Amino acid sequence: MLRDSFGRVATDLRVSLTDKCNLRCTYCMPPEGLDWLPSAQLLTADEIVRLVGVGVERLGVTEVRYTGGEPLLRRELVDIVARTAALEPRPQISLTTNGIGLARLAEPLAAAGLDRVNVSLDTLDAATFKRLAHRDRHADVIAGLAAADRAGLRPVKINAVLMRGVNEHEAVPLLRWSLEQGYELRFIEQMPLDAQHGWSREAMVTADEILGLLSEAFDLTPDDQEERGSAPAERFLVGGGPARVGVIGSVTRPFCGACDRVRLTADGQVRNCLFATEESDLKSALRAGATDEELAARWRAAVARKRAGHGIDDPSFLQPSRPMSAIGG
């Protein structure tokens, strides 16, 4: 197992397939974009599948989520999903995406074995979307969500980040629309993972504020906490259920004590925490001819060093040098 010194066991593997993205969301990167990793530094499809296989077959990983950057930009994505679905024991397979291209790829991905998707959508207004993402692709995201639902990639989950003075007034409309469409909405506190290092606690809309906004229009009751387990979202029944809304308070309501996640970056580095400042290199060992058991041993050692918490409230907290697009969500 991937067990750390505090007894937590990592079973949920987040795999970044690329650091590239076709949007420029203000809370992630500057409008001009970033210097992308050279192709030679990225894990190949075969290397990705091999490392995921080590995680699933030797280390107890039961869930695999492919992320980015934007994972739909990875040409081999459908093949990677199909090969992941063929692993024994078969893991649950999900995808975090901005939804651009999902209208075309939802059916092939479902046929390959993808179980569900999380799609980022921060606004219902096309003009606000363009202001936030610096791209006029709002209609493509909406179409991608509908395609995912038709393909059976349910529950279709939406991730929304509210920013003060920008879109916090859309909390209620976003939830109302999501309920009408049959999607499960989750609000996420903005985290200090932007490339510009411009995050501030004052500008962040907190979990308490989000719940306050929603409670003005909806009757919310906490869902069964036992069902939450290690999930990052606190879920609330809307109007008594069965519909739900989630709030992920990564900053103000940290859930580090129950964390079961580990990350593999697009260039083959293990990160035992989203906010880690250290990484463990699997790619170099893999390319040097390491056996699966040697790779597993390196992975176990990386997770064993996981800290008790992310420490955002600690005065000594340092924002990771990698932005979210280069880590994988």
Side-chain angles (χ1 to χ4, degrees), residues 178-238:
S178 298
L179 294 174
E180 291 170 353
Q181 303 300 317
Y183 306 147
E184 185 173 319
L185 177 61
R186 310 187 316 166
F187 291 99
I188 304 176
E189 287 183 338
Q190 185 181 355
M191 294 178 283
L193 290 168
D194 58 309
Q196 309 92 303
H197 287 220
W199 177 89
S200 72
R201 183 179 290 271
E202 292 72 26
M204 177 186 68
V205 181
T206 68
D208 283 347
E209 290 177 290
I210 293 167
L211 289 170
L213 290 168
L214 297 178
S215 295
E216 292 176 3
F218 299 98
D219 177 28
L220 303 180
T221 54
D223 200 359
D224 187 344
Q225 289 302 302
E226 288 189 9
E227 284 191 18
R228 179 184 180 185
S230 59
E234 293 181 70
R235 300 208 304 175
F236 298 84
L237 297 173
V238 182

Side-chain angles (χ1 to χ4, degrees), residues 114-183:
L114 187 67
D115 294 305
R116 63 174 186 82
V117 294
N118 288 49
V119 180
S120 298
L121 180 66
D122 303 318
T123 177
L124 297 176
D125 181 71
T128 302
F129 183 95
K130 187 175 181 180
R131 174 186 170 194
L132 285 171
H134 297 280
R135 298 290 187 273
D136 190 11
R137 306 297 298 272
H138 186 262
D140 295 311
V141 180
I142 301 299
L145 283 162
D149 190 51
R150 288 194 302 271
L153 297 173
R154 305 187 188 99
V156 175
K157 295 186 178 182
I158 295 177
N159 295 339
V161 176
L162 297 182
M163 288 147 285
R164 199 176 307 283
V166 179
N167 67 336
E168 78 265 41
H169 63 282
E170 292 198 63
V172 168
L174 274 167
L175 178 52
R176 183 170 287 120
W177 180 80
S178 298
L179 294 174
E180 291 170 353
Q181 303 300 317
Y183 306 147

Side-chain angles (χ1 to χ4, degrees), residues 15-28:
V15 183
S16 176
L17 298 181
T18 178
D19 62 326
K20 294 179 181 178
C21 190
N22 41 14
L23 296 180
R24 300 289 183 269
C25 298
T26 55
Y27 52 78
C28 189

Side-chain angles (χ1 to χ4, degrees), residues 7-150:
R8 296 168 298 192
V9 178
T11 58
D12 184 342
L13 173 61
R14 311 292 174 93
V15 183
S16 176
L17 298 181
T18 178
D19 62 326
K20 294 179 181 178
C21 190
N22 41 14
L23 296 180
R24 300 289 183 269
C25 298
T26 55
Y27 52 78
C28 189
M29 67 178 74
E32 65 272 17
L34 300 169
D35 293 329
W36 310 124
L37 290 167
S39 297
Q41 291 186 24
L42 298 178
L43 293 173
T44 67
D46 287 344
E47 289 170 337
I48 291 167
V49 174
R50 181 179 171 193
L51 289 176
V52 171
V54 170
V56 170
E57 295 170 354
R58 294 174 179 267
L59 297 171
V61 168
T62 59
E63 293 185 53
V64 177
R65 179 179 299 186
Y66 288 113
T67 71
E70 176 44 55
L72 294 180
L73 295 177
R74 185 81 188 221
R75 293 180 180 178
E76 312 100 326
L77 176 59
V78 173
D79 177 61
I80 290 170
V81 168
R83 294 167 69 183
T84 304
L87 294 172
E88 293 290 344
R90 184 197 187 282
Q92 286 288 306
I93 309 168
S94 59
L95 184 78
T96 296
T97 172
N98 62 29
I100 297 174
L102 194 55
R104 174 175 55 88
L105 287 170
E107 288 287 353
L109 285 168
L114 187 67
D115 294 305
R116 63 174 186 82
V117 294
N118 288 49
V119 180
S120 298
L121 180 66
D122 303 318
T123 177
L124 297 176
D125 181 71
T128 302
F129 183 95
K130 187 175 181 180
R131 174 186 170 194
L132 285 171
H134 297 280
R135 298 290 187 273
D136 190 11
R137 306 297 298 272
H138 186 262
D140 295 311
V141 180
I142 301 299
L145 283 162
D149 190 51
R150 288 194 302 271

